[in-house]
Amino acid sequence: MTKTKISDASISIGRMTISVGDLFTRSGLEPDGVVPWGTSVPLNVPGVYVVASTPSLGDAAGHVPTYSPDPLAFRALRMLCPNPTIDGRAASDHELASRIGAFWIPETPILYAGLAGTSVQTRVRQYYSTAIGQRSPHAGGWWLKTMAELDDLYVHFAAASDPAGAESNLLRTFAASVPAPAMRTLHDKERIAPFANVEVRKGVHKRHGLKGVKMPQKPFSGATA
């Protein structure tokens, strides 16, 4: 698979979604800082984090206008998960990239929002270290790791006494900010969340049709000492 841009950069939705700063503010949160992707987060308390294509709190467009898949990421996925399917049919790497790219939201810097129940520092470190295709320690948001621009992203973070509630507010606020023209470009036009959030709220996932993209769960032996 060659590195191709799935979304058309010439298509403009006519209005941006929301900046990271506004997303935090409207969700009742105070930003605590930002680090480049791969850098340790200096916040060792419960909270939330947002992965964005800009370090700026005021940038409502970001630096990545289209989805560019990284061929090496899909090869790595296939090493652990050799038989992925889309809608029940065997899928090539290009087909996987095309389906994932069909959830790309134009003209937004916000690509993923997550929570940390005990430590934002620890949870983000787990996010960094979980290989694509693995189930743990942090398999959520793995679509982000298929991006060619992964190393150019940033992690914004904030402390929160109720991380689950704060994450829900972030997701709800983001979804409300997405213009109708942008929604109409998506594969799932109803379940709206940042690009890499496959779960839009507790127990409700985007209708992406992907299967076989996580390592099989190990059976429980039930053995006792």
Short mmCIF file of all heavy atoms in Angstrom, two decimals, residues 11-20 22-23 26 53-54 56-65 105-110 173-183:
data_model
loop_
_atom_site.label_atom_id
_atom_site.label_comp_id
_atom_site.label_asym_id
_atom_site.label_seq_id
_atom_site.Cartn_x
_atom_site.Cartn_y
_atom_site.Cartn_z
N ILE A 11 -11.91 19.66 -0.27
CA ILE A 11 -13.27 19.78 0.23
C ILE A 11 -13.25 20.57 1.53
O ILE A 11 -12.57 20.22 2.48
CB ILE A 11 -13.88 18.39 0.47
CG1 ILE A 11 -13.99 17.63 -0.85
CG2 ILE A 11 -15.25 18.51 1.11
CD1 ILE A 11 -14.48 16.21 -0.70
N SER A 12 -13.99 21.63 1.60
CA SER A 12 -14.08 22.43 2.81
C SER A 12 -15.50 22.37 3.34
O SER A 12 -16.46 22.44 2.59
CB SER A 12 -13.71 23.89 2.53
OG SER A 12 -13.94 24.69 3.67
N ILE A 13 -15.60 22.21 4.63
CA ILE A 13 -16.94 22.15 5.23
C ILE A 13 -17.48 23.54 5.49
O ILE A 13 -18.61 23.70 5.90
CB ILE A 13 -16.91 21.33 6.53
CG1 ILE A 13 -16.00 22.00 7.57
CG2 ILE A 13 -16.49 19.92 6.27
CD1 ILE A 13 -16.02 21.33 8.91
N GLY A 14 -16.63 24.57 5.28
CA GLY A 14 -17.11 25.93 5.41
C GLY A 14 -17.05 26.48 6.82
O GLY A 14 -17.16 27.67 7.03
N ARG A 15 -16.84 25.62 7.84
CA ARG A 15 -16.74 26.08 9.21
C ARG A 15 -15.95 25.06 10.01
O ARG A 15 -16.13 23.87 9.86
CB ARG A 15 -18.12 26.27 9.84
CG ARG A 15 -18.08 26.82 11.27
CD ARG A 15 -19.47 27.22 11.73
NE ARG A 15 -20.31 26.08 11.97
CZ ARG A 15 -20.32 25.38 13.12
NH1 ARG A 15 -19.48 25.69 14.09
NH2 ARG A 15 -21.15 24.38 13.28
N MET A 16 -15.05 25.54 10.84
CA MET A 16 -14.26 24.65 11.67
C MET A 16 -15.11 24.16 12.85
O MET A 16 -16.17 24.68 13.12
CB MET A 16 -13.01 25.37 12.15
CG MET A 16 -12.04 25.69 11.03
SD MET A 16 -10.70 26.79 11.51
CE MET A 16 -11.57 28.36 11.60
N THR A 17 -14.61 23.16 13.54
CA THR A 17 -15.36 22.61 14.67
C THR A 17 -15.10 23.45 15.93
O THR A 17 -15.82 24.38 16.23
CB THR A 17 -14.99 21.14 14.91
OG1 THR A 17 -13.57 21.03 15.11
CG2 THR A 17 -15.39 20.29 13.72
N ILE A 18 -14.04 23.14 16.67
CA ILE A 18 -13.79 23.78 17.95
C ILE A 18 -12.30 23.64 18.25
O ILE A 18 -11.66 22.68 17.83
CB ILE A 18 -14.65 23.10 19.05
CG1 ILE A 18 -14.66 23.90 20.33
CG2 ILE A 18 -14.21 21.67 19.27
CD1 ILE A 18 -15.64 23.34 21.37
N SER A 19 -11.74 24.60 18.95
CA SER A 19 -10.34 24.52 19.36
C SER A 19 -10.23 23.67 20.63
O SER A 19 -11.22 23.43 21.33
CB SER A 19 -9.78 25.91 19.62
OG SER A 19 -10.37 26.48 20.78
N VAL A 20 -9.01 23.23 20.94
CA VAL A 20 -8.79 22.45 22.15
C VAL A 20 -9.13 23.29 23.38
O VAL A 20 -9.76 22.81 24.33
CB VAL A 20 -7.34 21.95 22.23
CG1 VAL A 20 -7.10 21.23 23.55
CG2 VAL A 20 -7.03 21.01 21.06
N ASP A 22 -11.28 25.81 23.67
CA ASP A 22 -12.73 25.93 23.80
C ASP A 22 -13.35 24.60 24.24
O ASP A 22 -14.32 24.59 25.02
CB ASP A 22 -13.35 26.38 22.48
CG ASP A 22 -13.20 27.87 22.24
OD1 ASP A 22 -12.89 28.59 23.21
OD2 ASP A 22 -13.39 28.30 21.09
N LEU A 23 -12.80 23.50 23.75
CA LEU A 23 -13.33 22.19 24.13
C LEU A 23 -13.19 21.98 25.64
O LEU A 23 -14.14 21.56 26.31
CB LEU A 23 -12.59 21.08 23.38
CG LEU A 23 -13.01 19.65 23.72
CD1 LEU A 23 -14.44 19.38 23.27
CD2 LEU A 23 -12.06 18.64 23.08
N ARG A 26 -15.59 24.67 27.53
CA ARG A 26 -17.01 24.34 27.45
C ARG A 26 -17.34 23.05 28.18
O ARG A 26 -18.51 22.78 28.48
CB ARG A 26 -17.44 24.25 25.99
CG ARG A 26 -17.32 25.56 25.23
CD ARG A 26 -17.84 25.41 23.83
NE ARG A 26 -17.45 26.54 22.99
CZ ARG A 26 -17.76 26.67 21.70
NH1 ARG A 26 -18.49 25.72 21.11
NH2 ARG A 26 -17.36 27.72 21.01
N SER A 53 -3.74 17.93 16.54
CA SER A 53 -2.72 18.17 15.52
C SER A 53 -2.09 19.55 15.66
O SER A 53 -1.45 20.03 14.71
CB SER A 53 -3.33 18.01 14.12
OG SER A 53 -4.37 18.96 13.91
N THR A 54 -2.26 20.18 16.81
CA THR A 54 -1.68 21.49 17.07
C THR A 54 -1.36 21.60 18.55
O THR A 54 -2.08 21.05 19.39
CB THR A 54 -2.64 22.61 16.66
OG1 THR A 54 -2.08 23.88 17.01
CG2 THR A 54 -3.99 22.47 17.33
N SER A 56 -1.47 24.50 19.97
CA SER A 56 -2.17 25.73 20.34
C SER A 56 -3.55 25.44 20.90
O SER A 56 -4.31 24.65 20.34
CB SER A 56 -2.30 26.65 19.13
OG SER A 56 -3.15 27.74 19.40
N LEU A 57 -3.90 26.13 21.98
CA LEU A 57 -5.24 26.02 22.54
C LEU A 57 -6.27 26.77 21.71
O LEU A 57 -7.47 26.48 21.78
CB LEU A 57 -5.27 26.57 23.97
CG LEU A 57 -4.58 25.72 25.04
CD1 LEU A 57 -4.52 26.49 26.36
CD2 LEU A 57 -5.28 24.38 25.22
N GLY A 58 -5.83 27.73 20.89
CA GLY A 58 -6.76 28.55 20.14
C GLY A 58 -6.94 28.17 18.70
O GLY A 58 -7.80 28.74 18.01
N ASP A 59 -6.18 27.21 18.20
CA ASP A 59 -6.23 26.80 16.80
C ASP A 59 -7.42 25.86 16.59
O ASP A 59 -7.45 24.76 17.12
CB ASP A 59 -4.93 26.10 16.42
CG ASP A 59 -4.88 25.64 14.98
OD1 ASP A 59 -5.86 25.84 14.24
OD2 ASP A 59 -3.84 25.07 14.58
N ALA A 60 -8.40 26.29 15.80
CA ALA A 60 -9.60 25.48 15.57
C ALA A 60 -9.55 24.70 14.27
O ALA A 60 -10.54 24.08 13.88
CB ALA A 60 -10.84 26.38 15.58
N ALA A 61 -8.39 24.70 13.59
CA ALA A 61 -8.27 23.96 12.33
C ALA A 61 -7.23 22.85 12.41
O ALA A 61 -7.42 21.76 11.89
CB ALA A 61 -7.92 24.91 11.19
N GLY A 62 -6.11 23.11 13.07
CA GLY A 62 -5.07 22.10 13.18
C GLY A 62 -4.16 22.07 11.97
O GLY A 62 -4.35 22.81 11.01
N HIS A 63 -3.16 21.18 12.03
CA HIS A 63 -2.13 21.12 11.01
C HIS A 63 -2.23 19.89 10.10
O HIS A 63 -1.35 19.67 9.27
CB HIS A 63 -0.75 21.13 11.67
CG HIS A 63 -0.49 22.35 12.50
ND1 HIS A 63 0.48 22.40 13.47
CD2 HIS A 63 -1.10 23.57 12.52
CE1 HIS A 63 0.48 23.60 14.05
NE2 HIS A 63 -0.49 24.32 13.50
N VAL A 64 -3.27 19.08 10.29
CA VAL A 64 -3.43 17.86 9.47
C VAL A 64 -4.81 17.90 8.82
O VAL A 64 -5.79 17.46 9.42
CB VAL A 64 -3.26 16.59 10.32
CG1 VAL A 64 -3.34 15.34 9.43
CG2 VAL A 64 -1.94 16.61 11.07
N PRO A 65 -4.90 18.41 7.58
CA PRO A 65 -6.22 18.57 6.97
C PRO A 65 -6.84 17.27 6.46
O PRO A 65 -8.06 17.19 6.30
CB PRO A 65 -5.94 19.53 5.81
CG PRO A 65 -4.50 19.30 5.47
CD PRO A 65 -3.82 19.00 6.77
N ILE A 105 -12.75 13.61 10.25
CA ILE A 105 -13.55 14.83 10.28
C ILE A 105 -12.70 16.00 9.80
O ILE A 105 -11.69 16.32 10.43
CB ILE A 105 -14.09 15.10 11.70
CG1 ILE A 105 -14.97 13.93 12.15
CG2 ILE A 105 -14.88 16.41 11.74
CD1 ILE A 105 -15.45 14.05 13.58
N PRO A 106 -13.06 16.64 8.69
CA PRO A 106 -12.26 17.74 8.16
C PRO A 106 -12.27 18.96 9.08
O PRO A 106 -13.20 19.18 9.85
CB PRO A 106 -12.95 18.07 6.83
CG PRO A 106 -13.83 16.91 6.53
CD PRO A 106 -14.23 16.33 7.85
N GLU A 107 -11.21 19.73 8.99
CA GLU A 107 -11.12 21.03 9.63
C GLU A 107 -11.34 21.00 11.14
O GLU A 107 -12.11 21.77 11.70
CB GLU A 107 -12.06 22.03 8.96
CG GLU A 107 -11.71 22.27 7.50
CD GLU A 107 -12.53 23.38 6.87
OE1 GLU A 107 -12.97 24.30 7.58
OE2 GLU A 107 -12.75 23.31 5.65
N THR A 108 -10.65 20.06 11.79
CA THR A 108 -10.64 20.03 13.25
C THR A 108 -9.26 19.61 13.72
O THR A 108 -8.62 18.75 13.08
CB THR A 108 -11.69 19.06 13.82
OG1 THR A 108 -11.61 19.07 15.25
CG2 THR A 108 -11.47 17.65 13.32
N PRO A 109 -8.76 20.20 14.80
CA PRO A 109 -7.47 19.76 15.34
C PRO A 109 -7.60 18.57 16.28
O PRO A 109 -6.61 17.92 16.61
CB PRO A 109 -7.00 20.99 16.12
CG PRO A 109 -8.27 21.61 16.62
CD PRO A 109 -9.29 21.36 15.52
N ILE A 110 -8.82 18.25 16.72
CA ILE A 110 -9.05 17.29 17.80
C ILE A 110 -9.23 15.89 17.22
O ILE A 110 -10.16 15.64 16.45
CB ILE A 110 -10.26 17.71 18.63
CG1 ILE A 110 -9.98 19.06 19.30
CG2 ILE A 110 -10.62 16.65 19.66
CD1 ILE A 110 -11.20 19.81 19.73
N THR A 173 -19.42 17.66 23.93
CA THR A 173 -19.14 19.01 23.44
C THR A 173 -18.55 18.98 22.04
O THR A 173 -18.92 19.77 21.17
CB THR A 173 -18.17 19.73 24.40
OG1 THR A 173 -18.76 19.79 25.70
CG2 THR A 173 -17.88 21.14 23.93
N PHE A 174 -17.63 18.03 21.81
CA PHE A 174 -17.05 17.93 20.47
C PHE A 174 -18.11 17.58 19.44
O PHE A 174 -18.18 18.19 18.37
CB PHE A 174 -15.94 16.88 20.44
CG PHE A 174 -15.37 16.68 19.06
CD1 PHE A 174 -14.39 17.53 18.57
CD2 PHE A 174 -15.84 15.68 18.23
CE1 PHE A 174 -13.88 17.38 17.30
CE2 PHE A 174 -15.33 15.51 16.95
CZ PHE A 174 -14.35 16.36 16.48
N ALA A 175 -18.93 16.57 19.73
CA ALA A 175 -19.95 16.13 18.77
C ALA A 175 -20.89 17.28 18.41
O ALA A 175 -21.27 17.43 17.23
CB ALA A 175 -20.74 14.96 19.34
N ALA A 176 -21.23 18.10 19.39
CA ALA A 176 -22.14 19.22 19.14
C ALA A 176 -21.49 20.30 18.27
O ALA A 176 -22.19 21.09 17.64
CB ALA A 176 -22.60 19.83 20.46
N SER A 177 -20.16 20.30 18.21
CA SER A 177 -19.45 21.33 17.44
C SER A 177 -19.27 20.98 15.97
O SER A 177 -18.88 21.83 15.17
CB SER A 177 -18.07 21.59 18.06
OG SER A 177 -17.15 20.58 17.71
N VAL A 178 -19.50 19.71 15.62
CA VAL A 178 -19.24 19.28 14.24
C VAL A 178 -20.37 19.76 13.33
O VAL A 178 -21.53 19.41 13.54
CB VAL A 178 -19.11 17.75 14.16
CG1 VAL A 178 -18.88 17.29 12.72
CG2 VAL A 178 -17.96 17.27 15.05
N PRO A 179 -20.06 20.54 12.29
CA PRO A 179 -21.10 21.05 11.39
C PRO A 179 -21.77 19.92 10.60
O PRO A 179 -21.16 18.89 10.32
CB PRO A 179 -20.32 21.98 10.44
CG PRO A 179 -19.03 22.27 11.14
CD PRO A 179 -18.72 21.05 11.95
N ALA A 180 -23.02 20.13 10.25
CA ALA A 180 -23.77 19.13 9.49
C ALA A 180 -23.08 18.73 8.19
O ALA A 180 -23.07 17.54 7.85
CB ALA A 180 -25.18 19.63 9.22
N PRO A 181 -22.49 19.67 7.42
CA PRO A 181 -21.80 19.25 6.20
C PRO A 181 -20.66 18.26 6.46
O PRO A 181 -20.43 17.35 5.66
CB PRO A 181 -21.27 20.57 5.62
CG PRO A 181 -22.19 21.60 6.15
CD PRO A 181 -22.54 21.14 7.53
N ALA A 182 -19.95 18.42 7.59
CA ALA A 182 -18.88 17.49 7.92
C ALA A 182 -19.45 16.13 8.29
O ALA A 182 -18.90 15.09 7.92
CB ALA A 182 -18.05 18.04 9.07
N MET A 183 -20.57 16.11 9.02
CA MET A 183 -21.19 14.84 9.38
C MET A 183 -21.57 14.03 8.15
O MET A 183 -21.45 12.80 8.12
CB MET A 183 -22.43 15.08 10.24
CG MET A 183 -22.15 15.64 11.61
SD MET A 183 -23.70 15.77 12.57
CE MET A 183 -23.13 16.67 14.01
#
